[in-house]
Amino acid sequence: MNRTTRTLIATALVLGVAAGPAAAAQAGPAGATVSSSASAQKPAPLISTPPNAVALEQSIAGLGADHKYATAAAVRVSGPAGEWRGSSGVSDVRTGAAAIADGRFRAGSVTKTFTAATVLQLAAERRIDLDRSVQEYLPGTFPDTFEPISVRQLLNYTSGIRSADGPGDTFQAQWDHRFDVTDPRAQIANALAKGPESRPGEFQHYQNINYTLLGVLIERVTGTTYEKAVGQRILRPLGLRQTSFPGRTQTRIPGRHNTGYQAVPLADGTTELRDVTVWNQSDRWAAGDIISSTADLERFTQALFAGRIVPRQQLEEMFAVPEVFDFGTTRPASRTAGMQRLVLPDGTEVYGKTGARPGYSAGIGGAKDGSRLVVYTINSKDAKSEEPNRVAGAIVAAAMAK
């Protein structure tokens, strides 16, 4: 189990949620497309009450240099019953200036939702067949040791492909290599040279390499770069002017933004808040290098759940959990094409995606029917920690309260 997987599981635990047997019971067979017939019906909204402003304010209260977990946060909650927006904390611990509520930030693996949406658009246009093997689309890429892997299995992390090598999971290892420039095709070659981890469709294993391959697939099918394809299909039509991909050379966050910090223990027993805002994200690419704002991500999430980005039939892939276990466990899978299914203690199903890069944590999602959606960014002091992100847990719990 890699560090990212452990972090996501920890986040689920702090929310008091789990995939649970219900996830497997309601999912179709492994790799199957869930029928969209139910979506044609219009039941009563899942959440019909206004957002709980008091609980939301409490979820981000007191953030700043002295807060245990985060220096700043910004939250947007929306739905037919009402909206709520709030921010807390400081944009710079040296000056104490108030947090920038509409600033840009690194959204990490929320990138995967954009990547999945682009692939599903191409599927709706019949330019990609989700049941066709990726080996057919990318000839010469895979060694013969691999069985055919479908595009759908890349989308829902059941490909059985191992992760690519990197500088290491520790913060210090990543800090030392923060300006490295990574070629995604070199990552793919590195990962595939190791041979398969499991048979396709056997387990779900959350690995960035699946979405790196999908980025290359998008380029092959569209004949343009991944960044241009997502820009033409999603960013420009939705007017997401604060959303961008830094590419292989950009290390700074454009526009107004809160400073990102990592709490680093020092030899004398004190802790340094190290500025980690400037970083090369090329090793994440189609799996995690997007920069955005809460306003843009809210617009994206609203359009996605409403079926305005991906047609309803293909959108069901984003709510379909394969009926397999997480790799190396007996825990039912919970991830879908570009999102994840969680169940709150009151039984409310939540679909969404989190992302984390040093100094920045983010999340999007909500109820499947769009009756309550939430977008947040947190300037976490240890964004890639294996420990639960307690601020994120409090935000989601407050946002989804009925």
Side-chain angles (χ1 to χ4, degrees):
M1 184 184 300
N2 65 21
R3 185 184 184 94
T4 304
T5 302
R6 291 193 295 266
T7 301
L8 288 172
I9 291 171
T11 301
L13 291 174
V14 77
L15 288 173
V17 300
Q26 294 189 18
T33 303
V34 174
S35 170
S36 61
S37 59
S39 64
Q41 304 174 4
K42 293 185 178 181
L46 179 64
I47 301 177
S48 58
T49 56
N52 187 329
V54 173
L56 285 162
E57 289 172 0
Q58 291 176 344
S59 72
I60 57 173
L63 303 186
D66 296 328
H67 192 275
K68 183 176 181 180
Y69 298 108
T71 57
V75 181
R76 286 176 175 243
V77 179
S78 63
E83 300 180 346
W84 186 88
R85 297 176 185 177
S87 62
S88 175
V90 297
S91 64
D92 188 320
V93 298
R94 296 170 301 174
T95 65
I100 303 170
D102 58 352
R104 302 184 193 189
F105 51 86
R106 302 191 191 281
S109 287
V110 173
T111 308
K112 293 182 176 70
T113 314
F114 285 77
T115 302
T118 302
V119 171
L120 293 174
Q121 281 188 1
L122 292 166
E125 296 165 11
R126 300 185 183 277
R127 299 176 67 182
I128 288 179
D129 182 344
L130 300 184
D131 294 315
R132 187 177 173 187
S133 75
V134 67
Q135 286 96 324
E136 294 179 68
Y137 286 106
L138 303 175
T141 302
F142 283 74
D144 294 338
T145 52
F146 285 85
E147 297 180 49
I149 297 168
S150 72
V151 175
R152 179 179 284 108
Q153 288 167 338
L154 290 179
L155 283 165
N156 64 23
Y157 314 100
T158 60
S159 66
I161 301 173
R162 298 179 188 274
S163 64
D165 292 328
D169 285 340
T170 68
F171 168 75
Q172 189 60 48
Q174 294 180 19
W175 172 261
D176 292 341
H177 292 271
R178 66 191 182 281
F179 295 130
D180 288 2
V181 177
T182 305
D183 180 352
R185 287 165 177 78
Q187 283 185 313
I188 291 170
N190 175 272
L192 297 182
K194 302 177 183 181
E197 180 177 69
S198 60
R199 298 191 65 187
E202 186 175 10
F203 298 102
Q204 184 172 83
H205 196 171
Y206 184 81
Q207 303 271 41
N208 281 344
I209 196 66
N210 293 282
Y211 277 68
T212 304
L213 275 158
L214 288 172
V216 173
L217 174 62
I218 288 169
E219 293 190 332
R220 178 65 61 89
V221 172
T222 63
T224 189
T225 66
Y226 164 79
E227 293 83 358
K228 287 183 178 178
V230 178
Q232 292 167 355
R233 290 173 166 273
I234 299 176
L235 306 191
R236 283 205 286 276
L238 291 179
L240 306 184
R241 296 180 179 86
Q242 294 181 308
T243 302
S244 61
F245 296 93
R248 297 179 65 183
T249 58
Q250 181 180 323
T251 59
R252 298 183 179 275
I253 300 174
R256 300 171 70 241
H257 57 273
N258 295 322
T259 304
Y261 297 97
Q262 172 73 23
V264 180
L266 301 179
D268 62 3
T270 62
T271 299
E272 169 197 3
L273 281 183
R274 186 175 299 175
D275 186 339
V276 293
T277 310
V278 179
W279 205 289
N280 186 293
Q281 304 289 314
S282 59
D283 64 325
R284 305 294 153 164
W285 194 48
D289 77 345
I290 204 167
I291 292 171
S292 193
S293 67
T294 53
D296 272 13
L297 289 185
E298 181 181 59
R299 190 176 301 117
F300 169 74
T301 306
Q302 290 170 342
L304 182 68
F305 278 62
R308 299 199 306 271
I309 297 177
V310 178
R312 287 290 182 183
Q313 180 178 350
Q314 286 72 31
L315 183 60
E316 286 299 319
E317 297 285 343
M318 289 188 147
F319 303 113
V321 180
E323 200 173 59
V324 297
F325 293 117
D326 275 340
F327 182 75
T329 76
T330 56
R331 181 177 52 251
S334 63
R335 294 176 181 84
T336 69
M339 291 203 289
Q340 182 174 7
R341 176 184 181 271
L342 302 174
V343 182
L344 300 181
D346 65 359
T348 301
E349 291 184 353
V350 177
Y351 292 87
K353 189 72 189 77
T354 60
R357 299 301 302 134
Y360 300 90
S361 298
I364 65 172
K368 181 180 178 181
D369 66 357
S371 58
R372 180 65 54 77
L373 300 174
V374 57
V375 168
Y376 66 81
T377 175
I378 303 167
N379 289 97
S380 173
K381 293 182 177 180
D382 193 5
K384 300 298 288 183
S385 172
E386 298 178 22
E387 297 300 316
N389 188 320
R390 297 188 181 278
V391 178
I395 289 170
V396 174
M400 300 305 297
K402 296 180 182 178

